[in-house]
Amino acid sequence: EETKAFIETTTEEIAALTAGIKALDKSVIQATDQRKAENEEYKSTMAENSAAVELLGVAKNRLNKFYNPKLYVAPPKRELSEEDRIAVNMGGTPPPTEAPGGIAGTGVAVFVQVKAHTQRSDDAAAPPPPLEAVGAYQKKGQESAGVLTMVDMLVADLDKEMQEMEVEEKDAQADYEKYVQDSADKRAQDSKSIQEKESAKADAEAALGKAELDKKSKEKESYATATILKDLHLECDWLLSNFEMRK
């Protein structure tokens, strides 16, 4: 009875471990899909923010051309090919410069939306007033400071957001890798436990089978012995009953 109970308990434990491994595998697959989606969103947002910073840099440079000519950085001169240089030296005209592509001719190809960052700490400087609120007779230097400060604030907000995103992405990836490793360790441990329990179950079943065979064999031997004793008793009774007559 103890062996039968052990086999039943071990069978239930094996089934539970097997179900646990299946659930663990499913959980790892779901975590992997979620991590891939988060990583894709991270890359997409980082690309958009980087393009936004680049676009704001172009806009600031163009504003400097009007407000602060000394800070304006002119685009690099186009390098003529050898054939074009020969044509120019001979009195010809250089080929027309191709207009830059991207958004509004800036060369920035990624469409981005610069989000308004309205949530700030109490001690942060208040944003400058919108351009519509600037007085008609405001000095040029004050106007340029307000516009350029707004651009710098947007760039700073985007840089801060990208730094925070990098930290969050790094932490999320580390947590995912740890979860996958822990899951792999548990799966290996549970698989080993299943093998050990299956081996123990097989040994118990073999022992139970042998015990049942031995029991049946003993029962046959006992039956044969009882049959022999019965026959002997019958012979003895016959001899005793016929002993007087033989005298």
Side-chain angles (χ1 to χ4, degrees):
E1 294 298 328
E2 292 182 1
T3 304
K4 288 182 178 180
F6 172 79
I7 292 174
E8 292 178 357
T9 301
T10 304
T11 301
E12 293 175 355
E13 292 174 349
I14 291 173
L17 287 171
T18 302
I21 288 177
K22 290 182 179 179
L24 184 63
D25 291 344
K26 183 178 180 181
S27 178
V28 170
I29 292 174
Q30 292 175 344
T32 300
D33 292 340
Q34 180 179 352
R35 181 84 279 274
K36 287 180 179 179
E38 292 173 349
N39 181 256
E40 289 175 359
E41 182 180 358
Y42 161 77
K43 290 179 179 177
S44 175
T45 305
M46 287 292 287
E48 291 179 357
N49 286 357
S50 298
V53 170
E54 184 180 355
L55 183 61
L56 289 170
V58 174
K60 182 178 179 180
N61 188 50
R62 289 186 176 181
L63 290 171
N64 280 331
K65 186 178 181 180
F66 176 72
Y67 292 117
N68 300 313
K70 293 182 180 180
L71 299 179
Y72 173 71
V73 179
K77 294 182 179 180
R78 179 182 177 186
E79 293 292 336
L80 298 177
S81 65
E82 185 176 355
E83 295 178 357
D84 293 336
R85 285 198 300 269
I86 294 174
V88 172
N89 292 334
M90 293 178 65
T93 58
T97 302
E98 295 182 0
I103 303 171
T106 61
V108 182
V110 179
F111 175 76
V112 296
Q113 293 180 340
V114 180
K115 295 181 293 184
H117 297 268
T118 57
Q119 295 181 351
R120 301 179 181 278
S121 58
D122 295 336
D123 57 347
L131 294 181
E132 293 79 7
V134 179
Y137 299 99
Q138 190 178 40
K139 293 183 179 180
K140 183 179 179 181
Q142 293 176 335
E143 182 181 354
S144 65
V147 174
L148 296 175
T149 299
M150 181 180 294
V151 174
D152 290 339
M153 290 175 62
L154 289 172
V155 172
D157 284 348
L158 287 169
D159 287 338
K160 181 180 178 181
E161 181 179 349
M162 287 191 289
Q163 291 176 359
E164 292 175 350
M165 287 177 59
E166 287 179 357
V167 173
E168 291 174 358
E169 171 67 15
K170 183 178 180 181
D171 292 342
Q173 181 65 24
D175 292 340
Y176 165 74
E177 291 176 358
K178 184 178 184 302
Y179 172 72
V180 170
Q181 184 60 52
D182 292 343
S183 298
D185 294 341
K186 179 172 176 53
R187 194 183 196 284
Q189 182 179 357
D190 290 349
S191 297
K192 182 179 179 182
S193 296
I194 289 175
Q195 293 178 352
E196 293 174 349
K197 289 181 181 298
E198 285 180 342
S199 177
K201 177 185 174 183
D203 292 341
E205 289 175 340
L208 181 61
K210 184 177 182 301
E212 290 177 349
L213 289 175
D214 292 342
K215 180 180 178 181
K216 290 180 179 180
S217 178
K218 289 181 179 179
E219 288 176 350
K220 289 181 179 180
E221 290 179 0
S222 298
Y223 178 77
T225 302
T227 302
I228 293 172
L229 292 174
K230 178 182 177 182
D231 292 340
L232 288 175
H233 280 297
L234 290 174
E235 290 181 2
C236 290
D237 292 340
W238 184 83
L239 290 173
L240 289 174
S241 63
N242 289 285
F243 179 75
E244 295 297 333
M245 295 177 61
R246 290 186 177 182
K247 280 185 176 183

